[in-house]
Amino acid sequence: MKETSFFRLQHRYAPYLFVSPFLFLFSVFGVYPIFKSLQLSLYITNGPRDHVFVGLGNFQFLLRDPDFHTAVWNTIVFALCSVFLQLPLSLGLAILLSQKWLKGRAFFRLAFFCPQLVGQAFVAVLFGVLFVPKFGLINQTLFSVFGIPDDTKWLQNPSLVMPALVLTSLWMYVGFNMIYFLAALQGVDLELYEAAKVDGANSRQQFFAVTLPGIRPVAVFVLVTATIGSFQLFELPYILLNNSAGPNKSGLTLVMYLFQTGFVTGDLGYASAVGWTLAIGVLVISLIQMRITGAWKGENA
Amino acid sequence: MPSFPYGKAAFSFVIMALISGLFVTFHRVESRKTTLTMWTFAETHYAAYRKAIPSFEAAHPGVTVKVEHVNGQAVTSRLQAAFHANLNVPDVVEVEISSAGSFFRGPLEHVGFLDLTDRVKQSGLWDKMIQARFAPYMTHGRIFGLPHDVHPVMLACRRDLLEKAGVDMNRIETWDDFIKIGRKVTIPGKQYLLELSDSGTDNIEVMLFQRGGGYFDPQGKCSFDNEIAVQTMLFYVPLVAGKDKIGSTLGANQILTQAVEQGYMLCLFAPDWRTKGLEQDIPRMSGNMALMPLPALKPGGLRTSTWGGTMLGITKKSEHPDLAWELAQHLYLDKPQLAERFRDTNILPCLREAWNQAAFQEPRPYWSNQKLGAMYAELAPQVPFQYSSPYIVTAKAKFGEALVSCVQYYNANGESGFEEYARKRLKQSANEVRNLSARNPYQ
């Protein structure tokens, strides 16, 4: 086929033409909102129409806003629980389910992963029923097994709201992260274990000297994504606590606060300031995590 | 002719995309009829309006009314977003009382609802309806919503269990009388006299309004740290905390059903709308339930309060505001319809003239043959005012925080230093609301 100049041009520009819908949509719905929100964070707004320039006033107000402080504290507590409870449990489960002597491993893997398939909204509704005082399954079980009063108000008592959230998120995410660890464990060279055994290493030493270094890239990835996910927590508490922040704002997270200020109070400017603070915070924490774990230096990462 | 260089499949996609794009761009659906769209968040309202619409359409040939049932939160968020973005909105919207204030945050001229002040005053509705009910839907002296209801509050009680315990409901006049009985019949962890929350504001709010208090004063200034609020807190907390508490709650919906059926709580605050919920959700209690006016603070005092409410607003973007106003009047002021709707919903309408009809005088077997309509109508004129603000949602949350803190303090320390703590905590919460509202440049 003889190529005309039109088709020669096509060969040159067609790739750009094909990626242009993505670029256009990404610019409109991705890049523009980012810069718009940065601009908005310098205004007090009532929706996008009415706005008054306040410079860094929104960020200054954040520093003395008790609700923002509560949201930061709750989010950090939740993130710490995710890192120090969820990930060790996921890893433990993964190690257990990678043991060849365990029968029905495939079934257990599926069973632990399943909660992830149904989504946060469903899980929140489900646990909302399970946590009901007097008649809920959790209270009835705690009463019949441990004699704990069955009118324990998990979602009405400020000191029990966070444990309830953590418990719910554990049910949902332990199995999910377990899958990553399972995949990583399968990639660890078995000869290293044999060599360690020959050198007289016990199980604990094998875990710290062989397993952990072997799965470090995946562990860093899970650590960073779990932390970012924790800082983005919204649907779970929002639905579980009946569209509220819970008693004494005990379930208020940063994203929930962002939503409330932006879409309940109507101040998109202040919500943008909260959003940018959150984004910068998550970025800094992720960088620290990567630095601590050595992922930055490219050591196996 | 050269072929398309990326194959026939890609060529077909390009052609289809072009055709569908052109169709969507240039195709216009012409509407030959006038259509009024209405959003309501309450299922009971939706069912009632569907019944009422045919007569309106018959009286207005060529007009179609489309009533849509939209989730309450979605009404607020979608409507606010649409107002802000200047998008299409329904002509008529019902908004729940606790979110109505959030529509009044910006400059008065940017409120998305039509100013109904002149229409209300000229049509005489201001005098025909309970004026207190306009207050939550007003800002800067202008009316933006027509009140749907009065929502006086009584106590709904398990008459059978109270009688079994030797309690004569008719002899209860004051809260002191009531609390004395509460101390007698309450069995911690098993049975409480009254449904009262130690973390939510719905119940304490009823008592706050009964005392003449509120979250905001008539000028829209935060007022829930004034003496009335402090006294309400001092009165309420010992009812839900400490060893002598007489109130508790387990939850709503099915949980409430079980709690009432099993006698976990013997009485609960019952605004008119809630009585229908109880009838539908706990039909087995028919004949065992009875209503009584709220106990007064002192003999001869106010025997009611208010809980909940709905306003009807006409959006500024409506192309048919006069027709929408006619629809509003048809739905809210047509007496025979209001009577029928009362039978369906138990909700007392705001129009005083409607209360004389037979439907409001009928004995109700569920409520031990009490005349539910007449009882609520008798209390309706005394329903206290409640004032709103764009910060009403925040104020409720902050008042709730103060309540939770006071309950925690009382559980730990009892009466010792409680009054001072409650004052301080309420002031702290109210100041947080003031700090937030002080940032609003549109006040």
Side-chain angles (χ1 to χ4, degrees), chain B residues 315-335:
Chain B
T315 55
K316 268 185 191 161
K317 277 208 79 174
S318 170
E319 290 175 5
H320 315 285
D322 294 328
L323 202 56
W325 176 244
E326 280 185 51
L327 176 66
Q329 293 184 91
H330 178 76
L331 295 177
Y332 278 28
L333 306 173
D334 183 73
K335 287 200 282 183

Side-chain angles (χ1 to χ4, degrees), chain A residues 143-259:
Chain A
F143 178 68
S144 35
V145 178
F146 302 108
I148 294 171
D150 59 359
D151 57 354
T152 304
K153 294 172 181 170
W154 289 89
L155 305 177
Q156 286 88 38
N157 183 337
S159 49
L160 292 180
V161 167
M162 189 51 75
L165 282 175
V166 171
L167 201 65
T168 310
S169 75
L170 285 181
W171 187 78
M172 194 169 178
Y173 288 110
V174 163
F176 178 68
N177 290 322
M178 175 198 77
I179 296 294
Y180 285 112
F181 286 124
L182 266 174
L185 286 170
Q186 284 167 5
V188 180
D189 192 349
L190 291 176
E191 286 178 4
L192 292 173
Y193 288 107
E194 283 163 18
K197 273 182 200 165
V198 170
D199 288 345
N202 58 26
S203 303
R204 189 176 152 274
Q205 288 167 326
Q206 284 178 39
F207 174 75
F208 284 105
V210 179
T211 309
L212 265 189
I215 63 167
R216 195 176 68 176
V218 172
V220 171
F221 170 76
V222 173
L223 176 70
V224 172
T225 52
T227 309
I228 292 173
S230 304
F231 274 86
Q232 290 176 335
L233 184 70
F234 174 67
E235 301 102 301
L236 200 63
Y238 189 68
I239 298 171
L240 195 62
L241 300 170
N242 201 19
N243 307 341
S244 78
N248 241 357
K249 297 212 184 294
S250 46
L252 183 71
T253 64
L254 271 168
V255 178
M256 200 192 278
Y257 188 53
L258 186 156
F259 173 80

Side-chain angles (χ1 to χ4, degrees), chain A residues 14 45 50 58 67 134 249, chain B residues 6 105 110 189 398 401 439:
Chain A
T45 72
D50 308 310
N58 284 330
D67 289 349
K134 204 100 181 151
K249 297 212 184 294
Chain B
Y6 303 103
R105 185 169 178 268
H110 285 177
K398 293 289 174 192
E401 285 173 35
R439 299 188 79 230

Side-chain angles (χ1 to χ4, degrees), chain A residues 7 10 14 44-51 58 66-67 132-135 153 156 158 238 243 248-249 263 265, chain B residues 2 5-6 73 80 83-84 105-107 110 189 199 248-250 255 258 262 398 401 404 408 432 439 442:
Chain A
F7 279 99
Q10 261 205 345
I44 287 178
T45 72
N46 173 50
R49 265 194 304 176
D50 308 310
H51 49 267
N58 284 330
D67 289 349
V132 161
K134 204 100 181 151
F135 311 111
K153 294 172 181 170
Q156 286 88 38
Y238 189 68
N243 307 341
N248 241 357
K249 297 212 184 294
F263 300 100
T265 313
Chain B
Y6 303 103
Q73 282 217 315
Q80 275 183 337
F83 281 156
H84 290 323
R105 185 169 178 268
H110 285 177
S199 56
S248 182
T249 185
L250 294 176
I255 313 304
Q258 290 195 45
Q262 295 186 11
K398 293 289 174 192
E401 285 173 35
V404 171
Q408 285 175 329
E432 285 172 15
R439 299 188 79 230
Y442 309 108

Side-chain angles (χ1 to χ4, degrees), chain B residues 30 94 130-131 182 197 208 221 224 253 268 271 275 280 298 319 324 362 369 388 392-393 407-408 410 414 429:
Chain B
E30 291 299 328
E94 281 194 336
I130 300 288
Q131 285 176 8
S197 171
L208 180 68
K221 304 283 178 211
F224 67 79
N253 305 324
L268 51 152
T275 58
Q280 288 170 339
K298 49 190 172 190
E319 290 175 5
E362 290 164 357
N369 283 322
S388 195
I392 184 74
V393 177
V407 165
Q408 285 175 329
Y410 195 86
S429 276

Side-chain angles (χ1 to χ4, degrees), chain A residues 4-301:
Chain A
T4 63
S5 59
F6 171 71
F7 279 99
R8 270 202 302 278
L9 275 177
Q10 261 205 345
H11 275 297
R12 189 167 172 189
Y13 292 110
Y16 297 105
L17 190 70
F18 282 115
V19 296
S20 61
F22 163 76
L23 284 178
F24 174 73
L25 293 174
F26 180 66
S27 305
V28 172
F29 296 108
V31 179
Y32 173 72
I34 287 174
F35 286 103
K36 183 70 184 172
S37 71
L38 186 60
Q39 183 204 1
L40 271 176
S41 68
L42 307 176
Y43 289 84
I44 287 178
T45 72
N46 173 50
R49 265 194 304 176
D50 308 310
H51 49 267
V52 174
F53 183 74
V54 289
L56 295 175
N58 284 330
F59 293 95
Q60 285 167 348
F61 188 72
L62 274 180
L63 296 175
R64 54 191 166 88
D65 178 358
D67 289 349
F68 178 72
H69 301 161
T70 307
V72 170
W73 173 250
N74 289 342
T75 309
I76 288 174
V77 169
F78 184 83
L80 289 174
C81 289
S82 291
V83 172
F84 291 107
L85 285 177
Q86 201 185 97
L87 299 191
L89 276 173
S90 297
L91 180 58
L93 261 183
I95 291 170
L96 185 67
L97 293 183
S98 63
Q99 303 302 314
K100 292 200 172 115
W101 51 263
L102 187 73
K103 286 182 181 168
R105 281 182 297 162
F107 168 76
F108 285 118
R109 285 174 188 179
L110 178 68
F112 284 117
F113 182 71
C114 267
Q116 180 63 34
L117 299 176
V118 292
Q120 286 198 17
F122 179 83
V123 172
V125 171
L126 177 72
F127 273 78
V129 177
L130 294 178
F131 281 127
V132 161
K134 204 100 181 151
F135 311 111
L137 186 66
I138 291 175
N139 272 341
Q140 292 205 342
T141 307
L142 288 174
F143 178 68
S144 35
V145 178
F146 302 108
I148 294 171
D150 59 359
D151 57 354
T152 304
K153 294 172 181 170
W154 289 89
L155 305 177
Q156 286 88 38
N157 183 337
S159 49
L160 292 180
V161 167
M162 189 51 75
L165 282 175
V166 171
L167 201 65
T168 310
S169 75
L170 285 181
W171 187 78
M172 194 169 178
Y173 288 110
V174 163
F176 178 68
N177 290 322
M178 175 198 77
I179 296 294
Y180 285 112
F181 286 124
L182 266 174
L185 286 170
Q186 284 167 5
V188 180
D189 192 349
L190 291 176
E191 286 178 4
L192 292 173
Y193 288 107
E194 283 163 18
K197 273 182 200 165
V198 170
D199 288 345
N202 58 26
S203 303
R204 189 176 152 274
Q205 288 167 326
Q206 284 178 39
F207 174 75
F208 284 105
V210 179
T211 309
L212 265 189
I215 63 167
R216 195 176 68 176
V218 172
V220 171
F221 170 76
V222 173
L223 176 70
V224 172
T225 52
T227 309
I228 292 173
S230 304
F231 274 86
Q232 290 176 335
L233 184 70
F234 174 67
E235 301 102 301
L236 200 63
Y238 189 68
I239 298 171
L240 195 62
L241 300 170
N242 201 19
N243 307 341
S244 78
N248 241 357
K249 297 212 184 294
S250 46
L252 183 71
T253 64
L254 271 168
V255 178
M256 200 192 278
Y257 188 53
L258 186 156
F259 173 80
Q260 283 184 350
T261 48
F263 300 100
V264 178
T265 313
D267 190 349
L268 294 173
Y270 191 54
S272 299
V274 174
W276 273 95
T277 310
L278 170 65
I280 291 166
V282 169
L283 179 71
V284 169
I285 289 168
S286 301
L287 291 177
I288 292 171
Q289 283 178 332
M290 291 171 81
R291 170 109 191 176
I292 290 172
T293 53
W296 241 2
K297 296 173 192 163
E299 297 167 3
N300 296 326

